[in-house]
Amino acid sequence: MGKRNFSPDDRPPVRFMDSDELAYVATRAREVHDFWHVLFKLPTNLIGESALKMLEFQQIHLPMCFLSVVGGTIRLKPAKRDLLLRTYLPWAMKAGSSCDDLMCIYYEKHFHEDLNEVRNKWGIIPAPSVHETNTMR
């Protein structure tokens, strides 16, 4: 996040929630999304966002996550769509269903820990790198 000069605090507040509690949950889900980019080594481009939304769908089962994947997939050019469908979405389905329940973690208590140790503790499978996907074909 520091490399991209981004902070979760920069996001606009959540709107259209029926209660303060729901607004908090929605805000926290946004923050967790940003942490997951780091934990799963996903870029913030359309492929990375789509893969992360599939992973979120595996974790929290919200239809909007899956709909985001469909919308993102449509916007990709054929070669990138193929990469997403053949590599990143299958990875995201496996990674999202095999790791711990990541919505229930107090991430801020783990910022001082080694990133790879945290990944191992929570069963996180980092995304394949672009280099790895090029050698898989």
Side-chain angles (χ1 to χ4, degrees):
M1 293 168 75
K3 288 179 186 176
R4 293 182 177 86
N5 198 24
F6 175 78
S7 168
D9 299 329
D10 294 341
R11 291 178 182 256
V14 172
R15 302 181 311 165
F16 310 117
M17 294 292 157
D18 293 336
S19 70
D20 289 342
E21 186 176 83
L22 286 176
Y24 170 78
V25 171
T27 299
R28 187 63 178 166
R30 284 180 169 182
E31 293 170 350
V32 166
H33 173 94
D34 297 331
F35 296 148
W36 290 4
H37 272 286
V38 175
L39 288 169
F40 288 97
K41 289 187 172 181
L42 282 167
T44 53
N45 58 24
L46 190 52
I47 288 179
E49 290 294 341
S50 296
L52 190 55
K53 283 296 181 184
M54 178 57 79
L55 196 146
E56 286 177 6
F57 180 70
Q58 293 295 316
Q59 281 277 307
I60 58 179
H61 310 289
L62 288 177
M64 69 174 204
C65 298
F66 186 76
L67 292 173
S68 294
V69 174
V70 172
T73 304
I74 292 169
R75 294 178 50 203
L76 290 169
K77 293 183 179 177
K80 298 282 186 181
R81 185 179 310 123
D82 184 59
L83 179 63
L84 177 67
L85 294 173
R86 292 180 184 267
T87 302
Y88 285 95
L89 291 186
W91 162 82
M93 292 169 63
K94 178 181 179 185
S97 60
S98 65
C99 64
D100 289 355
D101 180 354
L102 299 176
M103 283 299 292
C104 299
I105 294 173
Y106 192 166
Y107 292 94
E108 292 82 354
K109 290 185 177 183
H110 300 277
F111 283 174
H112 68 281
E113 296 178 39
D114 178 76
L115 184 55
N116 287 322
E117 288 177 17
V118 167
R119 286 179 177 133
N120 288 335
K121 178 172 32 177
W122 297 333
I124 290 174
I125 304 167
S129 69
V130 173
H131 173 73
E132 290 172 354
T133 59
N134 288 338
T135 60
M136 294 166 108
R137 295 179 183 202

